[in-house]
Amino acid sequence: YTDFQPKKIIFNKKMPVGPKNRVADNSLAKKILNWQPKYSFEQGLKKTISWYIKNKNIAYIKKNLKKILI
């Protein structure tokens, strides 16, 4: 969606891993609050990226993207 294609992806092994930290499960929110997301993950990601690009300095982002993503 952003045309960003890193040459290499480095996984930070010091970050938490496992289902409690990396897997979203909205079933409890649905059960207790009768809540569910308005958007799919893909739609939400695109909306977030679009908002970010609209509200941030694009030249700065392009120049510093690697640093920003770390």
Side-chain angles (χ1 to χ4, degrees):
Y1 186 69
T2 63
D3 292 325
F4 175 68
Q5 297 190 16
K7 293 176 186 159
K8 185 176 180 180
I9 297 174
I10 300 170
F11 291 97
N12 185 347
K13 295 180 181 180
K14 294 180 183 179
M15 299 297 289
V17 296
K20 290 184 178 181
N21 298 301
R22 306 255 172 141
V23 179
D25 179 1
N26 297 321
S27 61
L28 189 57
K30 172 70 175 164
K31 181 179 176 181
I32 294 173
L33 305 171
N34 197 31
W35 176 89
Q36 58 189 12
K38 292 180 183 178
Y39 305 102
S40 69
F41 175 78
E42 184 176 347
Q43 291 170 324
L45 186 59
K46 286 182 177 181
K47 286 177 72 66
T48 300
I49 291 169
S50 294
W51 175 90
Y52 191 88
I53 290 170
K54 182 180 175 184
N55 290 282
K56 300 295 179 177
N57 180 323
I58 300 302
Y60 175 83
I61 293 168
K62 286 182 178 181
K63 183 178 178 183
N64 297 285
L65 189 57
K66 283 186 180 182
K67 185 168 72 172
I68 293 169
L69 290 176
I70 293 178

